[in-house]
Structure formats: structure tokens, C-alpha cells
Amino acid sequence: MTDEHHPEADPGTGEAAGTAAAVPGLPVGVELGPGVDLGGSTRSEVRRHEVRRGPADWGPSVVVKRFLPQQVGSRAAMGYTRELVGLGHLPGTPRLLARHDDSRTLVMEDLGEQLPTLADALLGTDPGAAWRHCLAWAAALGATVRPDPDLLVEVRGELGEAVIEDRDARRDLPRRGLIRLHEAAGLRTTAAACSEILDAVEWLEQDTRRHVLGPGDTCPDNAVLTPGGVRFIDLEGAGVRHVAYEAAYAAEPFSTCWCVFTPPSGLTDAMLGAFTAGAARRLPDLVDDPDWPRQVRAAAAIWVLSSTLWLMDGALEDRTFGGGAGQHGPAFRALLAARWGWVERECRTELPDVAAACGEARTWALRTWGAGTSSLALPGYPAWSARDEARRAVAGGD
């Protein structure tokens, strides 16, 4: 999800044209021009800098990301460490060129100023291209995860306290999401659903053979469509977790993103298949394991309940997501209602109490929010909506 950007003073801000930027951590002899603001969030500042003098393989420009001070002990405070680990170990991410730990600054490869993202494709007008890019994204994500045991030992050491923080969050967030839902909607099945979802979390925690280093927040606007394939940026969510948490982004798509609409029929099945094929290069037992789809559904349910905690206040206020550069996402209410409906449909066999709780939540939403200013119907992605509208128009004219 996108945070509001609050820039702080930076050595490269406000410098006159022609003045070299004072970026900490640069190798001797490297000189960068003043930075161009690329946005960022309350957690970081991101700028593109011309390379005036430096190694040839750095290219004509680089991206500099400086992490802003955060409350000690907060998840955001671990963002620099997570991104450093992701850039250092995950394929398909920008090359890490320089770092400065004291100022929490990273200098990385610039993937290009004009390249589109998957969000651009989904919000565009070409349904065939959007479909292809979604499958390429899913396959690339599957190929990015790293299950190597020796590597996981190494990165757990590098992540330090972030490993414990992530493990605690996986247990805490879905439980708190159910409690928040109970406070708002008065669910009757809260206790049983809490017990069941915590059992699901523990099932994935104990299946250590499928724990991987993954990038985390692989939303469409963090997936750059380059001529050489999909590249992933913004690795503040990188960490070690069960691979099903990454796959859930394909099955119930884009678990923590603003760019979420109703996908066309068959797309998420194809995306999960592409993810599984990509991940099977290093985890070959996924393909024929009947437990794998169940694990993905469990992870998706965990994401849905966690996002319920994050999104409930916005839904009660009837807010709408906003992406970058004037892009608009769905209404909070429509997104939550759609996700609760997904869990109710897809998880009723293995997670019946969680499915029942989400069914109660959706019924409550329809009753309580149905007369609100925003529709509870989650619209389709623009890339397919124009085609579908044309088909309906033709059918209506016959």
C-alpha cells in the first residue's frame, strides 16, 4: 500500500543545477548530479541521480534510496535491513551498487525512467498484453524465491531481529484482524476462527522445507516490465517465510496492494500455475503435492485477515485507494467485501470457521454499507473492462 510522502532535508535537495549531490557511501571518484524526486513514502526518500563520473557498468543514472528515521521497534524501522538483504540475495532485483549504513542509504541500479510497471498494464487498455504480463510477473516471482538452506542461515543472521518480528506478525496480525472485525461487525464465530487461523499459521511455520527468502511486497507498481523480463523493486518486505505467502499474491491477487480489482475468469489460476512452475525450479515437489493448493489458500486467508486489520478504519470512513501519479484504486469497502467473499468460497473445506467468519463479515458489509456512497461491487481491471463492455454492447444489440 502506498504511504503519503513526507520528505526530509537531504544533501541532494535544493542544490543548484551543476552542483554534485552529496550522497553518502559512494566509492572514491564517483560523482552524481542533483537528484530528481521519485516519490517514496513516510519510510524513505527515493531519487534518481545522473552519474557524472563512475564505473561504466553503473549506466547513465542510479537510484538512491534513503530510509527515514522510524520509531524504534516498529516494522518500518527494519526496512533498510530488509531491502539490503533483498538486493543482496534475490535475483530479478536491481543491483546494489553502494551503501552507507550510518545514514541508511542505498545506491542501486536504475532500471529506466520510461519503463512501465505491471500496474500500468492492468490499468491500461490492452487485455492481451495485461494477461501476458501477469503470467510473466507470476513466473518471475516464483523464480525469485530462494529456499537454499545455507542461504537461509546466512540471511537470518543478516536480518537479525526482523526474523522474530516477522514470525510474531504472522501470528498476531490475522488474529487482530478478526478481533477488529468482531468489534465492528459483532461476529459470532470469532473465537473459533481465531483458533483455526492460528493453526493454519503454525502449519506453515512448521513446514520449514518450504521456507524461502522472498521479496514480500510484490505489488503491480513494484514490478517493472523491462525488455529482459520482470524486475522487482521496493524490497522493504523481504524476509524468510513459507513460499505460500508469496504464491498467495497470485491466487488472491496482490495481497498488500492498492491496485486490486476483479480479475477476469481464469487469470488467477493461470497466475498460480505460472508461479508454481517458476518456484519448482528450486522446489520441484510443489507441482504434484495436493497440500500445495491448500497451503496457498491458507496463506491467502492469513493475508485477508491481516489486511482486514489494516483496512477496516478506511472502510468505516468509506475511503478509496489512491495510487501514484493520479492512479485510483478501489473503495476500501469493496475490496474488503470481495476478499471476505473469496475466503468464504475458497476456504470453506479446510478452514470452515474462518470461511464462516468471512461470510458473516460480507453479509454485515452488504447490510451496513450497501446504501453507502461507494458501491460494494469490486470493478474489473480496466485492461479487460473495455473489452467486456464492448462484448455486452454487441450482445445487447443482437
Side-chain angles (χ1 to χ4, degrees):
M1 290 175 285
T2 303
D3 289 329
E4 185 181 358
H5 177 47
H6 296 289
E8 291 188 350
D10 181 86
T13 302
E15 297 187 30
T19 303
V23 175
L26 294 178
V28 175
V30 172
E31 180 182 320
L32 303 182
V36 176
D37 189 6
L38 299 180
S41 67
T42 57
R43 302 179 300 274
S44 65
E45 294 174 341
V46 185
R47 290 186 171 86
R48 172 177 286 114
H49 292 259
E50 175 193 4
V51 179
R52 291 180 172 173
R53 186 169 63 245
D57 65 354
W58 278 30
S61 61
V62 294
V63 170
V64 176
K65 185 170 185 177
R66 185 167 75 90
F67 286 76
L68 303 176
Q70 302 292 328
Q71 180 180 353
V72 176
S74 69
R75 179 174 176 81
M78 303 284 188
Y80 174 76
T81 299
R82 297 178 195 279
E83 184 123 9
L84 185 60
V85 167
L87 291 172
H89 297 289
L90 289 174
T93 62
R95 288 185 300 128
L96 178 63
L97 305 174
R99 57 188 275 195
H100 189 260
D101 293 340
D102 288 346
S103 64
R104 300 165 71 82
T105 300
L106 299 173
V107 181
M108 65 191 81
E109 174 189 10
D110 185 4
L111 299 182
E113 185 174 359
Q114 302 299 325
L115 292 175
T117 66
L118 180 58
D120 295 324
L122 290 168
L123 301 177
T125 59
D126 187 335
W131 187 286
R132 291 192 301 273
H133 289 313
C134 281
L135 297 194
W137 167 87
L141 179 57
T144 294
V145 301
R146 299 289 304 280
D148 322 312
D150 291 342
L151 174 66
L152 296 186
V153 170
E154 180 182 350
V155 298
R156 283 189 176 102
E158 295 174 4
L159 288 166
E161 293 180 3
V163 173
I164 299 173
E165 181 187 61
D166 281 350
R167 189 181 304 134
D168 290 345
R170 289 192 290 270
R171 295 182 175 109
D172 189 47
L173 293 178
R175 179 187 62 82
R176 289 173 57 198
L178 279 165
I179 292 171
R180 184 71 183 92
L181 191 51
H182 175 76
E183 293 169 350
L187 302 185
R188 295 168 296 175
T189 52
T190 304
C194 281
S195 176
E196 193 172 72
I197 202 65
L198 290 177
D199 285 345
V201 171
E202 290 308 311
W203 178 36
L204 299 182
E205 293 297 318
Q206 296 303 317
D207 186 21
T208 56
R209 65 201 171 99
R210 289 182 177 166
H211 285 194
V212 300
L213 173 65
D217 188 18
T218 50
C219 295
D221 50 352
N222 291 335
V224 182
L225 308 178
T226 78
V230 178
R231 303 284 296 277
F232 296 103
I233 60 174
D234 192 353
L235 304 175
E236 295 174 39
V240 177
R241 59 186 72 86
H242 196 283
V243 67
Y245 286 105
E246 310 292 333
Y249 270 74
E252 202 283 317
F254 315 130
S255 306
T256 59
C257 188
W258 64 269
C259 187
V260 182
F261 297 92
T262 298
S265 177
L267 178 62
T268 54
D269 287 342
M271 288 166 64
L272 180 57
F275 177 95
T276 302
R281 301 175 191 178
R282 293 187 172 96
L283 292 164
D285 64 331
L286 291 181
V287 176
D288 297 319
D289 184 0
D291 272 347
W292 172 236
R294 296 176 55 234
Q295 289 181 326
V296 175
R297 288 193 293 270
I302 293 165
W303 277 125
V304 167
L305 295 179
S306 298
S307 65
T308 297
L309 175 66
W310 304 327
L311 302 181
M312 181 58 76
D313 286 347
L316 292 174
E317 296 168 5
D318 202 7
R319 286 159 46 195
T320 297
F321 280 101
Q327 295 173 330
H328 295 289
F332 281 56
R333 291 179 174 183
L335 175 55
L336 278 179
R339 284 181 167 170
W340 294 332
W342 187 93
V343 174
E344 181 185 17
R345 292 190 309 274
E346 301 295 330
C347 300
R348 62 182 57 183
T349 299
E350 57 259 31
L351 297 173
D353 292 320
V354 172
C358 287
E360 278 192 78
R362 188 170 183 277
T363 298
W364 167 81
L366 292 171
R367 183 179 67 249
T368 306
W369 294 337
T373 57
S374 61
S375 172
L376 286 188
L378 188 65
Y381 276 102
W384 292 280
S385 295
R387 178 198 63 186
D388 294 342
E389 289 173 4
R391 287 177 175 173
R392 284 194 292 270
V394 170
D398 290 341

